[in-house]
Amino acid sequence: MTLDLLAYAAFFLSMALTYAIICLGLNVQWGMTGLFNVGIAAFVAVGAYTSALLTTPPSPDRFGGFGMPILIGWLGAAVVSGLMSWAVGALTIRLRADYLAIATFGVAVTIQLCVLNLQPLTGGAFGIGFIPRPFAAWQENALAFSLGNLAIMIVVVLALYLGLQHLAKSPWGRVLRAIREDEVAAQALGKRPIRFRLQAFTLGGAIMGLAGATQAHFIGFIAPDNYMPILTFQVWAMLIVGGSGNNRGAIAGAILVWGLWALSAAAVSSFIPAEQQARAAALQIVAIGVGLCLMLLWRPRGLFGEVSPLTRLKSLRATPSKE
């Protein structure tokens, strides 16, 4: 019994960390740069399908099946998602706030319809199976298999966290925050906001693609239903709860909201009659919405929300001098 609980805990944390990677990508776009991306599901889907096509065994029913190593699939997913992000950003990055949100949402719907209907490439509604899983030889031992996958996810998340922290403190990261706070002032200082915003959008999309690949290989199967708009809602809720603009907050928010999602799913399966569970599944979205509202009332900036430089400056001016 104890081993089963440990295996489930490792499985839970592994899934939560895949969402943490998506949150880290969104934090680059929104938290650091202020880009309102509502097409998260599209970039995650592109990464997942790219890695699946590169690493699965040959199949006569669809294109792909190159049987490459998992690491190559993950790198390919990040590259392809990054290129798609650059292409989308080059066309839409000049749009502001709600207009950018509408454009990226349209991209997400387009990608979802493509993976649903391009059956020779994506498998259509049947999806793609037989995606190789790390430590597949350990599957008979649930605990060892789950702990092995958890170790990989911890390494990936830690590497991304350290890299993004370094970028945030670099001149590049400071320029992004300057553009987010006052684009006109940054432009007056000789910076090119469009160029930096496109770079941040591309980097964030590449990280989301990597997250999609890790999810695909962790589960072993992908289908178009995995990349519906609800995924975008989940990730935004995770970042808001954890704290926009803070990488630690992105990781913490992903774990907390995924935990709430898992608990609400367990409650539905335990207390709702079987014939009503399909409808009652919507209560999971309600639970996240209520939790999000409570968090905004309790801590409007989230658990680890970034304090604006202007707010920090005002607080310093308001502090009375000891002299």
Side-chain angles (χ1 to χ4, degrees), residues 163-298:
L164 291 176
Q165 283 290 97
H166 177 74
L167 284 177
K169 296 176 181 178
S170 69
W172 185 79
R174 292 195 291 270
V175 170
L176 291 184
R177 289 193 294 274
I179 293 171
R180 181 195 64 191
E181 296 293 336
D182 193 335
E183 182 175 331
V184 176
Q187 192 169 9
L189 293 174
K191 306 302 180 183
R192 299 173 59 184
I194 298 299
R195 177 184 175 185
F196 282 94
R197 293 171 72 194
L198 182 57
Q199 291 173 358
F201 193 80
T202 301
L203 176 60
I207 294 173
M208 292 175 186
L210 174 62
T214 59
Q215 278 190 349
H217 288 273
F218 181 62
I219 299 172
F221 173 81
I222 55 174
D225 289 344
N226 297 354
Y227 309 105
M228 301 295 285
I230 183 62
L231 173 61
T232 298
F233 169 73
Q234 286 177 309
V235 177
W236 269 103
M238 291 171 178
L239 185 61
I240 293 172
V241 167
S244 175
N246 189 305
N247 291 316
R248 286 182 301 163
I251 297 171
I255 296 173
L256 286 176
V257 173
W258 179 248
L260 179 59
W261 183 267
L263 286 174
S264 59
V268 168
S269 61
S270 300
F271 301 108
I272 304 296
E275 63 274 8
Q276 298 293 330
Q277 287 183 7
R279 294 182 178 179
L283 293 175
Q284 292 179 265
I285 304 175
V286 175
I288 290 182
V290 171
L292 183 61
C293 291
L294 293 175
M295 176 58 69
L296 290 175
L297 290 173
W298 176 49

Side-chain angles (χ1 to χ4, degrees), residues 5-17 133 142 145-147 149-150 218-219 258:
L5 289 175
L6 288 175
Y8 177 76
F11 168 81
F12 165 81
L13 287 175
S14 299
M15 282 299 299
L17 290 179
R133 307 173 74 180
F145 177 70
S146 298
L147 289 176
N149 281 280
L150 177 59
F218 181 62
I219 299 172
W258 179 248

Side-chain angles (χ1 to χ4, degrees), residues 8-322:
Y8 177 76
F11 168 81
F12 165 81
L13 287 175
S14 299
M15 282 299 299
L17 290 179
T18 63
Y19 283 97
I21 298 175
I22 308 176
C23 282
L24 288 173
L26 180 60
N27 193 49
V28 173
Q29 296 176 341
W30 170 253
M32 294 178 63
T33 321
L35 298 173
F36 195 9
N37 179 10
V38 192
I40 297 169
F43 305 104
V44 177
V46 168
Y49 275 91
T50 298
S51 189
L53 292 174
L54 290 175
T55 59
T56 49
S59 173
D61 300 328
R62 58 171 174 78
F63 174 78
F66 298 108
M68 294 183 178
I70 294 176
L71 181 59
I72 299 298
W74 289 8
L75 293 175
V79 170
V80 173
S81 294
L83 290 175
M84 191 193 81
S85 303
W86 181 87
V88 171
L91 296 173
T92 63
I93 207 70
R94 290 174 175 81
L95 300 176
R96 304 295 178 143
D98 48 350
Y99 296 104
L100 178 62
I102 293 171
T104 52
F105 180 76
V107 171
V109 173
T110 301
I111 294 296
Q112 202 272 334
L113 290 175
C114 287
V115 298
L116 180 62
N117 293 287
L118 295 177
Q119 187 167 345
L121 179 64
T122 64
F126 299 102
I128 298 178
F130 302 104
I131 301 174
R133 307 173 74 180
F135 304 108
W138 297 0
Q139 291 190 61
E140 295 182 0
N141 188 330
L143 179 59
F145 177 70
S146 298
L147 289 176
N149 281 280
L150 177 59
I152 289 180
M153 294 310 305
I154 290 175
V155 170
V156 173
V157 171
L158 182 61
L160 284 173
Y161 172 79
L162 294 176
L164 291 176
Q165 283 290 97
H166 177 74
L167 284 177
K169 296 176 181 178
S170 69
W172 185 79
R174 292 195 291 270
V175 170
L176 291 184
R177 289 193 294 274
I179 293 171
R180 181 195 64 191
E181 296 293 336
D182 193 335
E183 182 175 331
V184 176
Q187 192 169 9
L189 293 174
K191 306 302 180 183
R192 299 173 59 184
I194 298 299
R195 177 184 175 185
F196 282 94
R197 293 171 72 194
L198 182 57
Q199 291 173 358
F201 193 80
T202 301
L203 176 60
I207 294 173
M208 292 175 186
L210 174 62
T214 59
Q215 278 190 349
H217 288 273
F218 181 62
I219 299 172
F221 173 81
I222 55 174
D225 289 344
N226 297 354
Y227 309 105
M228 301 295 285
I230 183 62
L231 173 61
T232 298
F233 169 73
Q234 286 177 309
V235 177
W236 269 103
M238 291 171 178
L239 185 61
I240 293 172
V241 167
S244 175
N246 189 305
N247 291 316
R248 286 182 301 163
I251 297 171
I255 296 173
L256 286 176
V257 173
W258 179 248
L260 179 59
W261 183 267
L263 286 174
S264 59
V268 168
S269 61
S270 300
F271 301 108
I272 304 296
E275 63 274 8
Q276 298 293 330
Q277 287 183 7
R279 294 182 178 179
L283 293 175
Q284 292 179 265
I285 304 175
V286 175
I288 290 182
V290 171
L292 183 61
C293 291
L294 293 175
M295 176 58 69
L296 290 175
L297 290 173
W298 176 49
R299 293 182 67 89
R301 294 183 181 275
L303 291 174
F304 302 99
E306 180 188 31
V307 178
S308 169
L310 296 178
T311 303
R312 190 181 298 113
L313 180 61
K314 290 178 181 178
S315 64
L316 290 175
R317 289 179 175 177
T319 304
S321 176
K322 295 183 180 180

